[in-house]
Structure formats: C-alpha cells, structure tokens
Amino acid sequence: MQVSIREARLKDYERVLVVSDIHGYGHLLKKLLDQAAFCEKDALIILGDMIEKGPDNLGTLRYVMALSEQENVFPLMGNVDLWRLSLMRDDSPENQADVINFSKTAKQWWGSSIVGEMMEEMGLDLEKDGNKPGLFREIRCCFAKELDFIRNLPTVLETEAFHFVHGGLPHERLEELNGINPFSLLKNDNFLGQGLSFQKWVVAGHWPVALYRKDILQHGPVVDKERHILSVDGGCGVRGDGQLNLVITDWQGTQFSHLYAMDKPFILAEDAQTASETARNIPYDDPVVELVRKEEKWAVVRHHGYEMRIPLRSLQGDEKEWRCYNLTDYRLPVKPGDVFQMIFEYDGMAYCKKDNVCGWYKGRYQMIKETNV
C-alpha cells in the first residue's frame, strides 16, 4: 500500500469533532457522540486504530463503517488497522500461526481480538480451528466488506487549517509523501517529542499523551499552539487507566475543548485533600526502577533518582531489573462533593482519575451511579 491523501472542506460545519485510537471500545465512542450531541452540522474525524485491544473489535469497526456512510464522517487508517489488514492477506502457515497465537494472547489480555470475533461469527473456534488450512481465505471471503473498508481508508486528511493523520508527519509537503509506505506516518512514535513545527495544525493519535509528561500522569489532549500540534490519544485499550478522548474544535482550530470516557466506576468524595507538591509518572516506555526496600504492602523505589512508594503488587521483575508500569504517586486535589472515577482500591486508598489526571485519594467516598465527567 501507498500513502493516500484526501481533501475535505470543513468550513461548512459548525464544529469539528476528532477521535483516535478507539481500539474496540465502540460503546465509549457512542457515549461521547451522544454527550457531544453529534449531528449533521458537525464533521467527525476518526484518526484510525479502530480495532484490537478492546472488547468489541468487529462491532466497533462496523459502527465506524455505519457512521462513515454519512458525508460528514471522515475515517483514516491507523497502524493497527494496516497491520491487521496486511497479515490477513498472508496465507502462509507461519503467518497464520503467528496471528492465531496473538489472538489467543489478546483474548487473555483484553478479552477479545478481531480474528477471534470473526471466527466466532463463522462458527469456528480459535483454539480448535486456528490451524485450519485456508482459514484466512475464508475470513477474507466472509468479511470482504469490512476488510475492503479498511483497505480504502486514506492516510492523511487535508483541510483548510488541519492535517489529520494517525501517527504524525515529517513535514507539510504532502506531495512528497505520495508513493511511500504509509506505515511511517501511522506508527510515528513520540511525534510531539520530535521538535517539529507546522503552519497548519497537525492532529495525530497513536502515542498516548500520558507518555509526554514525567511528573503528572494525565490523559487529556495536548494542544501545542506554538508548534501547531494536537495530540489526542488518551490510551484507550492500551492502558488500564486510559480514556477515549473526543476533541471539539472549529474548522480554523481557534479553540479546543474535549470530552472523555472510560469504563471505571464513579465515586463521590466526602473529604478534602490537597495536591502533592511533587510527583512522578512512571510510563510504560521507561519502567525500570531501583528497589530501595520492600514493606508489607508497598515498595519504595527510585525512578531516575526520584524516591516514591508504589503498591508492592505493581513491582515486577527480579534483582537483575525491577520495573513498574503506568503509575504515579501524585495526590489529587479534592474537595468534598467532587465526583470522579476510581481505577482501583489498594490498602484503604483509591487510585483515581479526576479531570484527566491520575492520582491517589486517601479520604472517604461513596460509590455512585454513572454520571458525565
């Protein structure tokens, strides 16, 4: 496949809505579109990675396909979408074994995979029928509509004030991108950290925004007005504390707001607490820590010289190399009556997310019914 560039006129729409990295969480996308009152007066840009790592990959893909029948919905290719499409075109026994093994692992980690869902719909079992000769040919036949939809997705969407792309762009000379492999634009790691600047806004997903800060663990979109870069991936499906972000802007990119959703219970805080003065975010791309000591339920570790306490169960590895993933020691600022979401409870404390930011709450709380954040 080669880079495909599509142009669109957004001046005709009152709002521009952007979502990325849905990863099989179509129900969260539906919730956000309902909250935003999405309608025909809005443009919806979907930045790819619709599948894998979530509970309903095939259903999510079909939901995006149904949305895309409207002329105001613009779906793009993601690296996972391209990766899955490419693997499904390889009928070699070795590739089939690799895909089936990944699908089994995905079922253990995330509860599902798109290949497993396709096989189930065909009346096949992932364990028993994974080595069936000609399996992928049967899947391509049964799901030609879905696979063709992915195959025809553009790589870049160019508008009056925006370049939309899943991973990122090396520059704005789009004509020079024609003919190259699109994977470099889709799996463009740490795009915001590359020091690039643009005339038009470049809106990308792929790299969870939580990886961009080493102090506060936050998942809200990052808006860099000086360099004209908007990073929107909230880590949905990739991280246990991730969220799906829906950015709302105008066709010129003059103002930004967002909504987010995640599958975690809501709590009502009864006590106040102040924010901690220092904090450390241990991201999954920089997980190595130095073990200082173990306690009954906690471990004291150092991360790049910063000493912090983490739940003992979050410490992984052995004496050769200790690791911790996706955790912070930040203490959230809370007032009585605040409502936010709890990620997990540990040793009488709640590890939560409030206003896109993860951290600890040590006060009393009540579980409540779901509400809008």
Side-chain angles (χ1 to χ4, degrees), residues 293-305:
R293 67 179 180 273
K294 289 185 180 181
E295 302 173 352
E296 182 180 358
K297 294 184 178 181
W298 298 83
V300 178
V301 300
R302 290 193 187 96
H303 188 254
H304 295 293

Side-chain angles (χ1 to χ4, degrees), residues 271 273 309 331 348-350 360-364:
D271 300 316
Q273 74 174 24
R309 293 174 77 237
R331 186 177 64 244
M349 293 186 289
W360 293 92
Y361 173 61
K362 301 181 180 182
R364 297 169 299 167

Side-chain angles (χ1 to χ4, degrees), residues 52 57 83-84 87-88 95-119 126-127 130 135-136 139:
E52 300 295 23
N57 303 283
W83 167 69
R84 177 55 65 219
L87 291 179
M88 294 306 297
N95 176 68
Q96 182 173 319
D98 287 344
V99 173
I100 295 300
N101 287 334
F102 169 83
S103 300
K104 292 176 182 178
T105 301
K107 187 174 182 179
Q108 294 175 350
W109 288 357
W110 301 298
S112 189
S113 70
I114 193 166
V115 170
E117 292 168 15
M118 287 175 168
M119 291 180 63
L126 187 62
E127 296 287 343
L135 173 62
F136 286 0
I139 290 178

Side-chain angles (χ1 to χ4, degrees), residues 266-273 332-342 350 352 354 360-368:
F266 286 84
I267 63 175
L268 172 68
E270 296 182 348
D271 300 316
Q273 74 174 24
L332 291 167
V334 177
K335 302 187 301 295
D338 282 350
V339 174
F340 44 94
Q341 288 173 280
M342 182 172 67
C352 302
K354 179 177 181 284
W360 293 92
Y361 173 61
K362 301 181 180 182
R364 297 169 299 167
Y365 60 86
Q366 297 178 29
M367 306 296 298
I368 62 173

Side-chain angles (χ1 to χ4, degrees), residues 10 15-22 29 32-33 36 38 42-48 74 76 157 162-165 202-205 221 230-233 244-250 256-259:
L10 299 185
R15 300 185 301 175
V16 178
L17 280 57
V18 186
V19 66
S20 182
D21 297 84
I22 307 166
L29 176 58
L32 289 172
L33 293 180
F38 170 64
D42 303 319
L44 173 62
I45 317 297
I46 302 174
L47 294 181
F74 304 90
L76 297 176
L157 180 69
F162 293 96
H163 298 305
F164 296 98
V165 61
V202 176
V203 185
L230 172 61
S231 185
V232 304
D233 182 8
L244 185 64
N245 291 324
L246 181 71
V247 174
I248 303 173
T249 184
D250 56 88
F256 298 91
S257 63
H258 81 281
L259 302 171

Side-chain angles (χ1 to χ4, degrees), residues 105-341:
T105 301
K107 187 174 182 179
Q108 294 175 350
W109 288 357
W110 301 298
S112 189
S113 70
I114 193 166
V115 170
E117 292 168 15
M118 287 175 168
M119 291 180 63
E120 183 177 359
E121 194 166 298
M122 294 166 63
L124 300 175
D125 182 82
L126 187 62
E127 296 287 343
K128 297 179 180 178
D129 301 307
N131 60 352
K132 181 181 179 182
L135 173 62
F136 286 0
R137 286 193 295 271
E138 291 186 35
I139 290 178
R140 291 197 299 270
C141 180
C142 291
F143 298 94
K145 184 177 180 181
E146 290 82 1
L147 295 174
D148 284 344
F149 174 79
I150 296 175
R151 182 178 298 107
N152 292 318
L153 290 171
T155 315
V156 180
L157 180 69
E158 182 182 16
T159 73
E160 300 91 335
F162 293 96
H163 298 305
F164 296 98
V165 61
H166 179 71
L169 295 176
H171 50 71
E172 289 183 275
R173 302 181 300 278
L174 300 188
E175 67 280 358
E176 297 180 13
L177 301 177
N178 288 314
I180 71 171
N181 189 317
F183 197 72
S184 62
L185 307 184
L186 304 181
K187 193 180 185 311
N188 191 331
D189 295 351
N190 192 26
F191 176 58
L192 190 62
Q194 296 173 14
L196 300 171
S197 298
F198 301 91
Q199 295 299 313
K200 288 186 177 182
W201 281 98
V202 176
V203 185
H206 175 63
W207 196 247
V209 296
L211 299 179
Y212 286 128
R213 291 188 62 170
K214 303 304 182 184
D215 52 354
I216 302 300
L217 177 49
Q218 76 91 22
H219 295 79
V222 177
V223 182
D224 190 324
K225 294 184 178 181
E226 291 187 0
R227 295 193 289 150
H228 274 186
I229 297 177
L230 172 61
S231 185
V232 304
D233 182 8
C236 179
V238 178
R239 305 170 53 105
D241 56 7
Q243 65 191 41
L244 185 64
N245 291 324
L246 181 71
V247 174
I248 303 173
T249 184
D250 56 88
W251 70 270
Q252 293 173 302
T254 60
Q255 54 188 356
F256 298 91
S257 63
H258 81 281
L259 302 171
Y260 73 86
M262 58 186 294
D263 283 334
K264 298 297 179 182
F266 286 84
I267 63 175
L268 172 68
E270 296 182 348
D271 300 316
Q273 74 174 24
T274 58
S276 54
E277 295 182 359
T278 60
R280 174 56 56 100
N281 164 27
I282 306 179
Y284 64 70
D285 67 332
D286 185 19
V288 177
V289 297
E290 175 190 351
L291 177 62
V292 178
R293 67 179 180 273
K294 289 185 180 181
E295 302 173 352
E296 182 180 358
K297 294 184 178 181
W298 298 83
V300 178
V301 300
R302 290 193 187 96
H303 188 254
H304 295 293
Y306 178 92
E307 191 167 298
M308 60 189 290
R309 293 174 77 237
I310 65 172
L312 187 59
R313 70 183 189 188
S314 298
L315 185 66
Q316 301 180 27
D318 51 37
E319 298 295 340
K320 294 181 179 179
E321 183 178 86
W322 296 103
R323 299 177 302 279
C324 176
Y325 296 92
N326 305 330
L327 195 70
T328 182
D329 65 343
Y330 182 60
R331 186 177 64 244
L332 291 167
V334 177
K335 302 187 301 295
D338 282 350
V339 174
F340 44 94
Q341 288 173 280

